[in-house]
Amino acid sequence: MYPTDRPRRLRTDGVRPLVSESSLSASDLVAPVFVDATTDELVPIESMPGHERVPADEAVARVEEVRATGVEAVILFGIPETKDAEGSRAYAADGVVQRAIRRITADTDAYVIGDVCLCEYTDHGHCGVIEGSAEADPTLTVENDATLELLEKTAVSQADAGADMVAPSSMTDGQVAAIRGALDDAGHGDVAIMSYAAKYESAFYGPFRDAADGAPAFGDRRHYQMDPANGREALREGRIDAEEGADVLLVKPALPYLDVVAAFRREFDRPIAAYNVSGEYAMLHAAAGKGWLDLEATAYESLLSIKRAGADLIVTYFAEDLADRL
Ligand code: PBG
């Protein structure tokens, strides 16, 4: 009790680092990279300053830039040359992500993660198979079980190309077990799975949907992504994915869901990842652009808070910029 108890004693410059509870380093970070089959030059992403869609030919150069900052891991997203109802370019052996993975793994030592989803590849923009037409049936939603096979093919094609890890993000029930089985059958027992276990139906994905051109053509994703109101349900999702064989459990978005990150840390003995999403990046940039916030300081504080909540690794668009400073 005051005056005996004075927490300020441990806030002097000499002792602060000794009692600091969390830290952030480049080795905690994963940098997203967008590879685009529709262009042969770099295309800036307006709502995500500093980020560009890169043609597959430029993927190696892009990844080398990331690695030069000390960040060793990248997660790849693809913008395909064409889209169709089944998202067939998601699992084509010569798909844009598969081509980029082949080059990156041949020419660099980066740790390569493939995002496994269909929304960037389907003409309707949903994360799975749709049967019927939205005009005829307004309650139309993604067919869960028919989607599993396409996710398996996508994961295996990325592993065939050399991916070290696959990250299923479509919130399809049973996706981790299906992908684990398919990878093992294809001789990819060493390829890890990071599941987007608790992925919320979030408005913070707005800039990404521009970046990857993956907005749904009708409806929204609340029939498969999680309700932002729910925390206990996230633990159920995490438990299911852990039992199905996920090596790493991811929570997404990060900052509005730090309670879920902390709950995952307490509940599970697996590494916990958090995805600091496009909207979390864009809003700091927008405020900094107006001179209202210090970009580097708020980005650092954001990522440190995600570590403090219990994440082991963070997928973030700030990876390169912050690693440079760390
Ligand atoms: C694909 C996917 C999305 C993001 C990552 N993978 C978009 C979505 O579900 O709409 C969002 C990433 C971000 O906002 O940074 N399903």
Side-chain angles (χ1 to χ4, degrees):
M1 277 302 183
Y2 177 81
T4 340
D5 208 352
R6 291 178 182 266
R8 285 185 175 197
R9 281 183 207 119
L10 296 182
R11 292 182 196 145
T12 62
D13 285 345
V15 73
R16 263 171 64 109
L18 291 173
V19 299
S20 155
E21 298 175 31
S22 320
S23 65
L24 183 65
S25 76
S27 61
D28 301 323
L29 307 178
V30 180
V33 172
F34 297 95
V35 286
D36 187 345
T38 68
T39 176
D40 41 28
E41 46 197 68
L42 303 179
V43 182
I45 302 166
E46 208 186 320
S47 51
M48 298 172 66
H51 284 274
E52 293 158 327
R53 298 179 177 191
V54 301
D57 286 345
E58 299 285 333
V60 169
R62 183 77 199 86
V63 169
E64 288 297 15
E65 281 169 20
V66 171
R67 292 188 64 240
T69 67
V71 173
E72 296 288 346
V74 292
I75 182 164
L76 297 185
F77 296 94
I79 297 99
E81 44 284 271
T82 53
K83 303 187 186 222
D84 57 33
E86 296 79 36
S88 60
R89 298 306 295 169
Y91 39 88
D94 64 348
V96 65
V97 161
Q98 290 78 2
R99 279 188 282 134
I101 293 174
R102 270 197 194 88
R103 291 184 202 176
I104 296 164
T105 50
D107 294 356
T108 80
D109 292 325
Y111 188 82
V112 179
I113 307 171
D115 183 82
V116 175
C117 198
L118 297 169
C119 55
E120 297 118 75
Y121 305 90
T122 50
D123 51 15
H124 47 69
H126 278 286
C127 305
V129 175
I130 300 273
E131 279 160 18
S133 102
E135 283 102 74
D137 176 9
T139 65
L140 197 66
T141 187
V142 168
E143 299 288 329
N144 190 89
D145 295 8
T147 299
L148 290 171
E149 191 195 335
L150 305 187
L151 297 174
E152 290 172 21
K153 291 203 307 203
T154 305
V156 169
S157 69
Q158 293 180 354
D160 286 344
D164 298 297
M165 175 183 266
V166 293
S169 66
S170 67
M171 290 301 279
T172 310
D173 290 338
Q175 64 182 0
V176 175
I179 289 172
R180 184 72 271 158
L183 288 173
D184 291 352
D185 289 347
H188 294 302
D190 290 336
V191 172
I193 299 177
M194 174 164 74
S195 76
Y196 290 68
K199 178 174 178 178
Y200 286 87
E201 204 265 334
S202 170
F204 286 97
Y205 305 149
F208 176 95
R209 293 182 184 174
D210 296 338
D213 192 19
F218 65 89
D220 52 43
R221 298 195 169 136
R222 74 199 141 93
H223 299 294
Y224 43 103
Q225 298 182 345
M226 281 184 58
D227 182 343
N230 294 356
R232 289 189 298 274
E233 187 191 0
L235 292 176
R236 180 172 178 219
E237 283 281 5
R239 202 168 301 118
I240 291 170
D241 283 10
E243 279 165 10
E244 289 186 18
D247 300 286
V248 178
L249 299 171
L250 182 141
V251 175
K252 177 187 175 183
L255 294 177
Y257 300 90
L258 290 183
D259 58 324
V260 178
V261 174
F264 268 39
R265 172 74 294 144
R266 282 192 301 274
E267 190 80 6
F268 303 114
D269 62 0
R270 323 234 156 180
I272 304 304
Y275 198 137
N276 178 233
V277 302
S278 56
E280 299 174 59
Y281 178 82
M283 63 184 177
L284 294 191
H285 265 277
K290 289 192 173 277
W292 294 345
L293 285 178
D294 175 333
L295 181 63
E296 194 178 273
T298 51
Y300 179 77
E301 188 178 329
S302 298
L303 299 194
L304 190 63
S305 73
I306 297 167
K307 288 290 302 285
R308 189 195 64 238
D312 300 291
L313 59 142
I314 307 172
V315 182
T316 176
Y317 304 97
F318 288 117
E320 271 174 282
D321 289 347
L322 276 191
D324 252 346
R325 155 192 163 151
L326 290 169

